[in-house]
């Protein structure tokens, strides 16, 4: 089943008296369980495309179907429902709640769903186990390293077992060892839970883990490369 179907998608932003075209007639399809990335230089349109897939923005022309939902046609409530039930987000800046514990940060997306406290606890502890942080449940983000913070963010993105995780430059604030660590974690979750991952990145370390690399250049798909794994 196709999880994402992008057809003839163009995105323009108002700029001064005119417009700037950030994405130009993009056609892309992603199936369930892919571990793929939008790669390319800064300004090539990676974040713009990821934001549309994440229903945080809408196409100017063309269509983005995400799990059967046409992104430009959803109202705010429908877009919020899609995000809350099916999507996980990982950002370069972690976006953790600083005064809350690791447990509370990971529990946060579950509060929007109709679950009992004991169900939430079990899901949070499972997610912390996936990222190797069960001993830090009571810590708060200021007491953690950058690598640990990003692992909390991964647990938060994964806790409800979303079908699709979107990760925008997830290693931007991490050193090499921590970058490899979180990439191995995400690869494992992709394999074991069949979660589809879509990255936006220009980090060579991330790129080396991707099973499919979509090179963007000036808002166009320059190359779409599937890596054959032996
Ligand atoms: P990348 O993530 O590949 O670095 P972006 O998708 O952030 O690139 O940006 C692509 C282009 O679109 C850039 O030239 C950027 O300046 C422009 N752009 C992005 N968002 C906006 C916006 N809200 N308004 C105007 N221009 C934007
Ligand atoms: Mg970007």
């Amino acid at each position: 089943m196709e999880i994402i179907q992008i057809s003839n998608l163009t995105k323009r932003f108002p700029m001064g008296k005119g417009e700037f075209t950030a994405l130009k007639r993009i056609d892309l399809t992603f199936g369930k369980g892919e571990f793929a990335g939008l790669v390319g230089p800064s300004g090539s349109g990676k974040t713009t495309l990821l934001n549309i897939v994440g229903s945080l923005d809408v196409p100017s022309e063309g269509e983005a179907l995400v799990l059967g939902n046409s992104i430009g046609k959803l109202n705010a409530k429908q877009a919020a429902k899609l995000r809350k039930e099916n999507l996980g987000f990982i950002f370069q800046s972690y976006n953790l709640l600083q005064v809350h514990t690791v447990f509370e940060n990971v529990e946060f997306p579950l509060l929007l769903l109709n679950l009992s406290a004991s169900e939430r606890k079990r899901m949070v502890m499972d997610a912390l186990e996936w990222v190797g942080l069960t001993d830090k449940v009571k810590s708060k983000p200021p007491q953690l390293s950058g690598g640990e913070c990003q692992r909390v963010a991964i647990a938060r993105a994964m806790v409800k077992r979303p079908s699709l995780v979107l990760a925008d430059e997830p290693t931007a604030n991490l050193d090499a060892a921590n970058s490899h660590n979180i990439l191995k974690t995400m690869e494992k979750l992709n394999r074991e839970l069949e979660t589809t991952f879509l990255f936006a990145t220009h980090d060579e370390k991330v790129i080396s883990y991707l099973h499919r690399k979509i090179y963007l250049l000036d808002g166009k798909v320059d190359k779409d490369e599937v890596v054959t794994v032996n």
Side-chain angles (χ1 to χ4, degrees):
M1 184 202 128
E2 312 298 11
I3 267 207
I4 306 170
Q5 259 181 298
I6 295 166
S7 38
N8 203 21
L9 186 153
T10 291
K11 178 65 182 180
R12 296 185 206 91
F13 291 113
M15 199 172 66
K17 285 180 184 159
E19 282 181 327
F20 175 79
T21 307
L23 296 172
K24 299 164 189 164
R25 297 176 154 266
I26 305 276
D27 289 300
L28 282 172
T29 306
F30 297 90
K32 183 171 161 55
E34 287 209 46
F35 199 72
L38 306 170
V39 309
S42 178
S44 55
K46 306 182 294 295
T47 295
T48 302
L49 188 52
L50 207 69
N51 285 347
I52 293 173
V53 172
S55 80
L56 303 170
D57 204 346
V58 294
S60 307
E61 268 174 49
E63 187 167 58
L65 275 176
V66 178
L67 295 155
N69 300 277
S70 181
I71 294 302
K73 300 195 179 109
L74 302 178
N75 62 33
K77 200 173 161 191
Q78 292 166 323
K81 180 172 154 67
L82 172 68
R83 288 193 297 272
K84 136 180 131 174
E85 291 177 0
N86 301 107
L87 307 183
F89 293 89
I90 299 169
F91 303 97
Q92 84 175 59
S93 49
Y94 322 136
N95 290 356
L96 301 179
L97 305 164
Q98 298 298 313
V99 301
H100 290 269
T101 64
V102 165
F103 185 95
E104 290 162 345
N105 268 281
V106 177
E107 187 186 33
F108 194 69
L110 300 180
L111 297 175
L112 302 167
L113 304 172
N114 198 7
L115 298 164
S116 70
S118 64
E119 281 175 303
R120 291 200 302 270
K121 181 171 184 197
R122 185 177 44 76
M123 291 167 82
V124 170
M125 294 314 290
D126 280 351
L128 288 173
E129 176 127 28
W130 297 333
V131 299
L133 277 181
T134 45
D135 54 335
K136 302 278 183 189
V137 269
K138 294 195 173 116
S139 304
K140 293 180 179 174
Q143 302 161 331
L144 302 177
S145 70
E148 288 169 337
C149 285
Q150 194 56 305
R151 283 194 277 149
V152 176
I154 295 170
R156 181 188 54 189
M158 297 294 304
V159 69
K160 60 190 179 189
R161 300 178 185 234
S163 348
L164 174 62
V165 170
L166 303 171
D168 196 352
E169 307 283 2
T171 55
N173 292 312
L174 300 179
D175 61 26
N178 273 307
S179 297
H180 286 292
N181 208 319
I182 69 134
L183 284 158
K184 285 194 189 115
T185 302
M186 292 194 271
E187 209 179 32
K188 182 187 76 176
L189 293 168
N190 166 254
R191 205 170 45 238
E192 293 178 1
L193 303 178
E194 288 185 75
T195 310
T196 307
F197 278 81
L198 181 60
F199 292 82
T201 188
H202 61 271
D203 179 351
E204 284 301 331
K205 294 187 290 300
V206 179
I207 295 169
S208 72
Y209 279 82
L210 298 174
H211 303 170
R212 179 179 171 197
K213 307 167 193 186
I214 294 119
Y215 291 86
L216 293 187
L217 201 59
D218 288 332
K220 289 189 194 142
V221 176
D222 188 44
K223 198 164 53 162
D224 187 346
E225 193 179 280
V226 175
V227 181
T228 34
V229 205
N230 296 307

